[in-house]
Amino acid sequence: MSDTPFGFGLPPEEPEDGDEGKKKDQQSGGGQGPASPFGFGTPGAGGFGGPGADNPFAAMFGSLNPTDLGAAFQQLGQMLSYEGGPVNWDMAKQIARQTVSQGTSDGVKDASVGPSDRTAVEEAVRLADLWLDDATSLPSGSGSAVAWSRAEWVEATLPAWQELVDPVAERVGAAMGDVLPEEMQAMAGPLIGMMRSMGGAMFGTQIGQAVGVLAGEVVGSTDIGLPLGPIGRAALLPVNIEAFGKDLGVPKEEVRLYLALREAAHQRLFSHVSWLRSHLFGAVDGYARGIKVDTAKLEDVVGQFDPQNPEQLQDALQQGMFQPEDTPEQKAALARLETALALVEGWVDAVVHAAAKPRLSSADALRETLRRRRATGGPAEQTFATLIGLELRPRRLRDASRLWASLTDARGVDGRDALWAHPDMLPTASDLDDPDGFVHREQLDFSELDKMLGEAAQKPDLHKKDDQEDQAKGDDTE
């Protein structure tokens, strides 16, 4: 770890152009002189009055033309002026949209969704919901069906990203203040504030790039097993569906319909299992609370930050700044999250297969393609590994899917879906190891408990009503 906070060191003793640079430096009367904590020169000390006096930030920005220099200053100004929460979400949104506008690595650009694509998505979701009626007892959760461009996906999902990432970003923000020695923290209030502003920008840059890349590959709003979009709105991305099905040898209509089945199945689950969203997001938050931040790496990353090359920040942060605590609580949080993701994805996989198998000739091939895409860790896994050091991969997707299928055979559709009534009724990680044992175990029934709780809640109203009736009788007697 360097002696100066965040790796901001002294200016280099040797000019970049060697002996010739020394001569120029001596002629200008500049020397090393005192340095600011951020490596900027000071007037008359080899800084503003020294070499490169016409461009005092040349050491930081290099030889830029006026346009590039203006853009760099603008970005730096945004970083240092930010006073919001732990993540600069305005910067994240801006960078995500810029990333989307550049197109994907295969050259596919984003485009506004036309009327024909909107109609095709609406019809696919409507048909998918009809097919799902036979495969699940949960009613339709798709109040509307929308076709999004990649940019629209970014706009619609940012609130969910904020809820997921802010808890981790807060830990990083606190770590940035802790990098300073304790005796300096009382005297370095403005510096700490500047560090946290830069921390918000760091996360904003990182998240913006990650979300922008992810927008180029997702096909709906629930690809990662979490409800990133508004509940009740089934969303598909036509331009990404086209790219997804390009080399599968499956008719485009079947690909779109199969993906609509998955999106509509997720919407049924998230719309009608009221506790599920908070359960999943709470599991992510619980995992985040046990993460340690590698402050040495954080120090190096900030110290080497170059506003000209924000991509370098993304690369540096991907090298592993987050270290999960090896504690029973952290292991339990991780197991809880992985099991929850597996159960959601396994249920969707089983239900969609039951709905599609009799109707789509390509159902088996599409199922296997989607399973591999999720299980091997696609863009979603890398995004979360980057953002919070967590791989959001349903590692036991196949086990969970088999368990839900076995439950369907043993208890029927209604009996299987009834398990979503309460989180304590769901299978656990150990149940995925012994699905037959869980399937044939006596089912817990919370209906009587819920009935008792409902009656208890109504009793105060009944007593109040009795008191009012007694009062009315008394008034009549008088």
Side-chain angles (χ1 to χ4, degrees):
M1 185 177 294
S2 62
D3 294 331
T4 51
F6 284 86
F8 293 127
L10 300 175
E13 296 182 3
E14 294 290 337
E16 292 182 358
D17 47 358
D19 294 336
E20 188 66 24
K22 287 183 181 179
K23 294 177 182 178
K24 292 179 181 179
D25 189 42
Q26 291 169 355
Q27 292 171 1
S28 64
Q32 179 178 333
S36 72
F38 296 96
F40 300 143
T42 53
F48 295 170
D54 56 335
N55 181 4
F57 295 95
M60 183 173 184
F61 294 112
S63 55
L64 296 176
N65 62 49
T67 303
D68 291 339
L69 181 62
F73 271 119
Q74 183 179 12
Q75 186 172 11
L76 181 63
Q78 290 175 350
M79 289 171 54
L80 298 182
S81 63
Y82 177 69
E83 296 179 351
V87 177
N88 189 331
W89 288 103
D90 291 336
M91 179 174 285
K93 178 179 176 180
Q94 176 186 344
I95 291 177
R97 292 194 64 116
Q98 289 173 352
T99 303
V100 164
S101 67
Q102 293 169 4
T104 51
S105 57
D106 57 3
V108 178
K109 296 282 189 178
D110 192 23
S112 299
V113 179
S116 60
D117 280 329
R118 294 189 187 279
T119 300
V121 166
E122 290 171 359
E123 291 178 351
V125 172
R126 189 179 305 116
L127 182 57
D129 260 332
L130 288 175
W131 290 3
L132 288 171
D133 285 339
D134 297 331
T136 174
S137 62
L138 296 179
S140 172
S142 306
S144 62
V146 293
W148 283 340
S149 66
R150 293 166 179 170
E152 288 172 324
W153 182 89
V154 169
E155 294 276 355
T157 61
L158 274 179
W161 291 114
Q162 183 171 355
E163 187 175 349
L164 287 165
V165 175
D166 270 352
V168 182
E170 288 175 1
R171 292 186 62 81
V172 176
M176 294 182 81
D178 293 341
V179 168
L180 285 176
E182 186 175 349
E183 61 274 10
M184 290 182 60
Q185 292 187 17
M187 300 182 294
L191 180 59
I192 293 176
M194 187 178 295
M195 290 175 179
R196 288 181 175 164
S197 294
M198 293 187 70
M202 286 168 54
F203 258 102
T205 300
Q206 183 189 16
I207 294 166
Q209 291 176 348
V211 171
V213 171
L214 189 58
E217 302 185 38
V218 294
V219 295
S221 70
T222 55
D223 277 31
I224 65 172
L226 295 173
L228 295 179
I231 297 296
R233 185 179 299 173
L236 296 175
L237 283 72
V239 65
N240 290 353
I241 291 176
E242 181 87 21
F244 172 78
K246 183 178 179 182
D247 299 321
L248 296 181
V250 177
K252 180 171 66 175
E253 293 75 16
E254 290 197 19
V255 173
R256 180 171 52 234
L257 184 51
Y258 193 87
L259 295 175
L261 281 166
R262 289 184 54 82
E263 179 73 11
H266 276 103
Q267 291 298 336
R268 288 185 181 225
L269 202 55
F270 292 127
S271 295
H272 298 291
V273 181
S274 58
W275 53 265
L276 182 57
R277 186 182 189 279
S278 60
H279 180 77
L280 289 168
F281 279 62
V284 174
D285 182 61
Y287 179 84
R289 284 196 298 270
I291 290 177
K292 293 187 298 185
V293 178
D294 186 343
T295 53
K297 180 159 289 187
L298 177 63
E299 186 177 307
D300 292 340
V301 167
V302 180
Q304 297 170 12
F305 179 71
D306 180 0
Q308 289 179 248
N309 299 298
E311 295 82 5
Q312 292 179 355
L313 182 63
Q314 170 81 357
D315 295 339
L317 293 178
Q318 285 180 349
Q319 301 306 310
M321 181 183 295
F322 305 106
Q323 303 170 349
E325 294 268 15
D326 189 18
T327 63
E329 293 79 10
Q330 180 70 350
K331 291 178 179 178
L334 180 59
R336 176 173 165 238
L337 179 58
E338 289 182 341
T339 301
L341 287 171
L343 291 175
V344 169
E345 290 296 288
W347 183 89
V348 168
D349 179 78
V351 167
V352 167
H353 185 69
K357 177 68 173 175
R359 300 177 173 95
L360 292 179
S361 59
S362 58
D364 288 333
L366 289 170
R367 183 191 201 188
E368 187 61 26
T369 298
L370 267 298
R371 277 181 164 185
R372 291 181 179 180
R373 188 174 190 252
R374 284 296 280 126
T376 57
E381 177 191 344
Q382 184 57 50
T383 297
F384 270 85
T386 298
L387 298 181
I388 58 176
L390 173 65
E391 295 180 353
L392 262 183
R393 189 194 313 180
R395 300 177 184 275
R396 309 196 64 181
L397 167 60
R398 294 176 188 271
D399 293 337
S401 182
R402 281 194 292 268
L403 187 147
W404 288 117
S406 298
L407 282 167
T408 308
D409 294 338
R411 303 183 185 181
V413 168
D414 291 345
R416 176 200 67 199
D417 293 346
L419 293 178
W420 291 107
H422 195 281
D424 290 342
M425 297 176 66
L426 287 179
T428 64
S430 60
D431 292 325
L432 295 179
D433 296 328
D434 181 21
D436 290 336
F438 179 84
V439 168
H440 299 293
R441 186 186 310 158
E442 183 177 352
Q443 184 177 352
L444 296 173
D445 186 359
F446 286 82
S447 59
E448 288 300 319
L449 176 59
D450 291 339
K451 182 179 178 181
M452 291 171 60
L453 292 174
E455 291 175 351
Q458 292 176 1
K459 282 183 179 180
D461 294 333
L462 294 175
H463 291 316
K464 183 177 180 181
K465 183 177 179 182
D466 291 340
D467 292 341
Q468 290 173 344
E469 290 177 353
D470 292 341
Q471 181 65 35
K473 290 179 180 179
D475 293 342
D476 291 342
T477 303
E478 294 177 358

